[in-house]
Structure formats: structure tokens, C-alpha cells
Amino acid sequence: MTVEADVVIVGGGLHGCSAALHLAQRGRRVVVLERRHVGRHSSGINAGGVRTMNRDPAEIGLSVAGMELWRRIGELTGDDCAFHAHGQIRVAETPAELAKVAERVAMVRRLGFEHEELIERDELRRLVPAIAPHCVGGLIVRDDGAADPYRTTLAFGRRAAALGAEVREGEGLVALERAGADWLAVGEHGRYRAPIVVNAAGAWAGDVAAMVGDAVDLRVRASMMMVTERMPRFLDPVIASVGRKLSFKQSDAGTVVIGGGQQGTADRHTEKTRINFANLAGSARAAIALFPLMQGARLVRSWCGIEAETVDHLPVLGRSLAADGIIHSFGYSGHGFQLGPICGSVVADLAIHGATNLPIAGLGLERFAAQAANGKAAGIGH
Ligand SMILES: Cc1cc2nc3c(=O)[nH]c(=O)nc-3n(C[C@H](O)[C@H](O)[C@H](O)COP(=O)(O)OP(=O)(O)OC[C@H]3O[C@@H](n4cnc5c(N)ncnc54)[C@H](O)[C@@H]3O)c2cc1C
């Protein structure tokens, strides 16, 4: 039997589940096909950073708009997702790094945004008493924060299901075929027919894009994380660094969660990852440099995710170039968690109206042709 829907979504990560929630909220019949289980990959195991700070100019508007949804995440999903808006700070260790922060703040102001501020030594020390004494200030967004990634992804999936979406776990898409004006999504266990298909397949989205004739140069990121035993409370904001690869936060439970983009290795085909301990030690050194109290802290666990990365580190969000009825939402390149709630709304707009008022200019597939013509890939702040 073929299941009929208005929209079939491939991928039950945060982006697929968020699209499902927004579409179901607007009365659409939605089926989500998830090969493993909801939140199995990046969406369930990331650092949980909810960050508008230091984004590429092309995604600042979308990221800032996304904070409005994070502020009412409980109402949207039925779960507070352990979201806390304790702020995020990108620490400068030298006057030269602080000068870079000042340039960044000026650039963001010129674009019309006010959320990023420069802070100097005293304010940094007031907000982060445990910071190393040599640090001179930083970039802050006071209402950025962090949430629990797995809980958030499950909350979106559950609310989508409560609103009528059918979330099929253990169902991998194997083919997409035209069926008149519709698409026939052929799964490992069933067949699904709809006029619109959303490609939210994370690191595997290039395979889905290829099924409809869109070629995209997609690489794999394998960001690593580690977590310490519980420590007495010493930190509220999320900390990053201007000069080092670091993201550093203390969870509600007291554990310290350390990431920042150091890479392990990942195999897309087996879905297996491997920790690179030499690189992981780099994260540990960065953490100790900024927080001397971390010297001697005991690690209890480390892990590594699989994620899609585009050549310019920006997501692909928009309609297929090759086929009608296909909407892409993938390639979040290490910073897609914060964007999950708002990008689901964008996908719903595109599926229902064919357009959106949200700022997605520059995020479509067409940019790669333009970049190839210019002989370069743009992008900062990933
Ligand atoms: C260690 C780590 C730390 C990170 N920290 C942050 C952070 O602090 N802040 C931030 O904003 N971002 C962060 N990110 C990035 C963020 O996690 C991702 O950008 C985001 O989760 C991507 O979500 P997604 O839904 O696109 O992909 P995924 O979560 O990978 O979901 C894609 C889903 O598609 C399924 N799938 C694939 N192919 C098929 C198929 N053929 N049929 C059916 N299902 C299929 C997969 O099983 C998977 O569940 C981090 C990532 C990692 C790995």
C-alpha cells in the first residue's frame, strides 16, 4: 500500500523534525522517513550551542530570527529543551584578538544588527570569574545560550507526531521516482507519495540530491566532544575563543562539555566515527589555557559526530535546481542546531507558498554555480 501525504521528509534530525512540526501545525499531512531513529546523528549528539554570535553574514538574519522561536521553545514543542539564555562569549586573549572583535562588531552593526557587543577585561571577569587572568575581553551575545540537543530533537519529533505527522523510524529512503505530478518515495519497508519531498538527510543529503539530479559538493565533518565528571558550579555562559578551537560550557548537572570543532574521522557508509585523541588533546589544552581550574579535571566520555559540510560552510536551504517539488535543507556545516527551529519554518513556507519572507538569500544551491564562475568559495565564522 502506498501512503499518501502532502509532504514526505527524508531525515529525522532536528531539521527534518522541525519542518514536520511547522508543516503539521499548518495542517499538512506529513510523513518523516528516518533510517535509524530520531536524533541518531548530529542533532542528538551536538554541543547544544544556541548561537547567533559570529555567524557568516549570509545567515545572521535567519539566526537572529530563530532566537524568537528559541525564546518560546516550550510553547512550540511542549518541552523547555533545557534551553538557558545565559549568553555566549568569544574570549580574546590578546589586544590583537580584541581588535578583531571590534572590527567584527562594527561589521555586524553596518549590516543593521545590534546583538553582538564587545566587552573588556572587567566585564569578562564579572561574567566569567574563572577565566584565566591574561584574557582581555571578548565578543558577547547576552541572550544566546545552550539547550539539550537530544531532548530538543525528540521534542520537535514528538510535537510533530502529536500534531498528526507520521514519523517512521527504521525506514530509509532508497529511491525517489516521479509519479505524475507527485514524487514516489521508495523506502526500505514502504512507499510514500506526495507532491513535495524535503531533503533533510544530513551527511547523506548529497545522495538524496543526486536522486533528483542536483549535484552538490558535500564533505563530511566529524566534530568531537568530551565531557568531564561533575564539578562545582563555576560557569553560566557558553565560552568560545577567538584564537583557539573551543566551545566550553557547564551543564545543569555540573559536567563540563567541551568541543569547538576539533575533528575525528567519520565514514558515511558505515555511519561509524573514530576519535582522534591527538586532536582531542588540543581541545583539552585550549580549555585549560582559558580555565586553569580545568587542570586535572577527569574526562568521563568523548564522542564524534557525522555531519555534512558544504564548500563555503553555509547550509543549502531552498528549492532544487533540477526538479520541481524538492526542497533541500542540509549542509549545516557544524552550526545547524540553533538554526533548526527557524529553518523548519522556512521549509514549511517553501512547501506551502513556494516562497518565504525569512532571509534565505544566498543559501540556495544556485550560489555554487556563481562561486565556481568566480573561482572561489566564500564564507566565514563556521
Ligand atoms: C559534535 C558536534 C557538535 C556540534 N555543536 C553544535 C552547536 O553547539 N551548535 C550548533 O548550532 N550546531 C552544532 N553542531 C551541528 C548540528 O548538530 C548540525 O548542524 C545539525 O544537527 C544538523 O541537523 P540535520 O537534521 O541536518 O542532520 P542530522 O541530525 O544528521 O539528521 C539527518 C538524519 O537523516 C537520516 N537519514 C540520512 N539518510 C537517510 C535516508 N536515505 N533515509 C532516511 N533517513 C536518512 C539520518 O539517519 C539522520 O538521522 C554540532 C555537530 C556535531 C557533530
Side-chain angles (χ1 to χ4, degrees):
M1 193 189 89
T2 300
V3 176
E4 305 272 339
D6 296 318
V7 183
V8 169
I9 297 173
V10 185
L14 181 56
H15 284 273
C17 291
S18 172
L21 185 154
H22 287 282
L23 282 160
Q25 219 175 28
R26 299 187 210 176
R28 296 311 188 268
R29 290 173 308 157
V30 181
V31 178
V32 179
L33 308 181
E34 166 51 53
R35 185 159 52 198
R36 305 295 172 218
H37 58 260
V38 166
R40 160 67 181 86
H41 282 293
S42 291
S43 297
I45 54 97
N46 64 59
V50 177
R51 172 178 66 82
T52 60
M53 185 178 68
N54 205 45
R55 292 231 167 225
D56 187 290
E59 55 180 21
I60 294 176
L62 196 56
S63 179
V64 168
M67 287 316 286
E68 198 265 318
L69 296 185
W70 277 104
R71 281 190 275 272
R72 55 182 188 83
I73 202 82
E75 183 196 323
L76 184 65
T77 68
D79 188 318
D80 68 16
C81 300
F83 171 58
H84 296 299
H86 288 316
Q88 291 221 7
I89 302 175
R90 195 170 165 83
V91 172
E93 295 178 72
T94 63
E97 287 183 0
L98 199 59
K100 275 194 199 163
V101 168
E103 276 170 29
R104 164 84 198 176
V105 170
M107 183 274 283
V108 168
R109 294 264 147 99
R110 283 197 298 278
L111 294 175
F113 298 98
E114 305 268 312
H115 59 299
E116 298 189 15
E117 282 174 56
L118 180 145
I119 55 170
E120 301 211 352
R121 188 189 291 269
D122 289 351
E123 177 68 344
L124 175 63
R125 194 135 291 104
R126 185 183 74 77
L127 294 168
V128 190
I131 199 78
H134 71 278
C135 297
V136 295
L139 182 65
I140 188 169
V141 175
R142 293 183 193 268
D143 60 1
D144 274 359
D148 179 325
Y150 192 53
R151 197 165 138 187
T152 303
T153 306
L154 291 190
F156 272 86
R158 279 200 204 108
R159 178 50 66 93
L163 291 167
E166 203 179 316
V167 181
R168 297 218 165 180
E169 296 179 301
E171 177 63 304
L173 176 83
V174 292
L176 270 176
E177 295 162 7
R178 272 287 185 201
D182 291 343
W183 287 98
L184 185 67
V186 181
E188 289 160 335
H189 307 288
R191 295 156 74 84
Y192 310 86
R193 183 177 173 141
I196 308 272
V197 173
V198 175
N199 174 12
W204 302 267
D207 302 340
V208 178
M211 289 177 194
V212 301
D214 281 321
V216 51
D217 184 1
L218 213 55
R219 295 128 198 232
V220 175
R221 276 176 75 82
S223 296
M224 296 184 294
M225 302 288 308
M226 58 186 152
V227 62
T228 69
E229 62 188 354
R230 291 177 186 212
M231 297 175 70
R233 183 118 216 120
F234 66 91
L235 181 66
D236 287 330
V238 178
I239 303 297
S241 159
V242 175
R244 302 175 194 265
K245 282 188 175 167
L246 181 70
S247 93
F248 184 94
K249 66 177 73 68
Q250 190 169 24
S251 72
D252 287 351
T255 59
V256 179
V257 183
I258 303 168
Q262 287 284 5
Q263 297 293 293
T265 51
D267 182 339
R268 242 167 40 82
H269 303 290
T270 59
E271 300 179 42
K272 294 256 166 45
T273 59
R274 189 181 283 265
I275 294 282
N276 177 322
F277 283 96
N279 288 349
L280 200 66
S283 294
R285 280 193 295 274
I288 292 167
L290 262 56
F291 291 92
L293 59 60
M294 295 305 292
Q295 185 77 50
R298 282 207 306 206
L299 296 176
V300 295
R301 198 157 65 88
S302 58
W303 66 93
C304 181
I306 304 184
E307 187 176 11
E309 179 164 66
T310 61
V311 291
D312 61 5
H313 315 292
L314 289 170
V316 173
L317 183 57
R319 286 189 285 176
S320 159
L321 296 182
D324 287 341
I326 302 290
I327 297 169
H328 295 302
S329 176
F330 62 82
Y332 286 90
S333 307
H335 47 267
F337 180 64
Q338 188 269 347
L339 291 171
I342 194 74
C343 290
S345 181
V346 168
V347 168
D349 287 346
L350 295 177
I352 295 168
H353 308 296
T356 182
N357 291 327
L358 288 160
I360 59 165
L363 301 182
L365 272 179
E366 56 283 351
R367 72 182 188 268
F368 296 120
Q371 284 169 11
N374 292 337
K376 68 178 172 81
I380 59 166
H382 58 287

